[in-house]
Amino acid sequence: MKEGFSAGTGSSGQELMSDASNLVRKYIVENFMFGDDAGLDDMTSLQASGIIDSTGILELVTFLEERFSIAISDEELIPQNLDSIHNVVCFLNGKCPSRNIL
């Protein structure tokens, strides 16, 4: 299992959602916001706020695929899945239901 992602028994869904949210947030802040998370909350639109452009979305997808051992199809590259930390965590929940991320 990858560091920072717990899917063991006994963890509540809220704790697992928080883990995934924190991992995604950390990646975005470190790679796109130069370590400054001012103005970023779970519902912030990553594209509308200028945090991530189309190339950044592809980088985020690569991170998610590697970090969570999932495959993301072209059809899944839509704002409803990837435009906020909240949307990403909900998307991961759908891709990884057995891990109880959410």
Side-chain angles (χ1 to χ4, degrees):
M1 184 163 315
K2 306 217 182 228
E3 176 187 343
F5 178 67
S6 60
T9 59
S11 294
S12 74
Q14 187 65 34
E15 289 170 345
L16 294 172
M17 180 179 74
S18 178
D19 288 349
S21 178
N22 288 337
L23 287 170
V24 172
R25 173 184 296 280
K26 181 179 177 185
Y27 178 81
I28 290 168
V29 169
E30 289 177 358
N31 290 278
F32 303 107
M33 300 180 74
F34 308 104
D36 179 12
D37 68 351
L40 178 65
D41 64 41
D42 287 355
M43 299 303 289
T44 301
S45 170
L46 301 173
Q47 289 187 304
S49 64
I51 295 170
I52 293 180
D53 60 13
S54 57
T55 302
I57 290 293
L58 297 178
E59 292 174 33
L60 176 62
V61 165
T62 299
F63 164 75
L64 296 172
E65 289 179 328
E66 292 174 359
R67 185 69 182 82
F68 295 96
S69 301
I70 60 173
I72 299 175
S73 69
D74 290 346
E75 293 78 24
E76 294 172 313
L77 299 177
I78 56 175
Q80 292 86 347
N81 293 339
L82 302 167
D83 192 42
S84 69
I85 293 171
H86 174 79
N87 289 9
V88 170
V89 172
C90 290
F91 174 65
L92 289 172
N93 184 55
K95 294 290 283 185
C96 314
S98 65
R99 294 186 196 169
N100 297 317
I101 292 172
L102 184 61

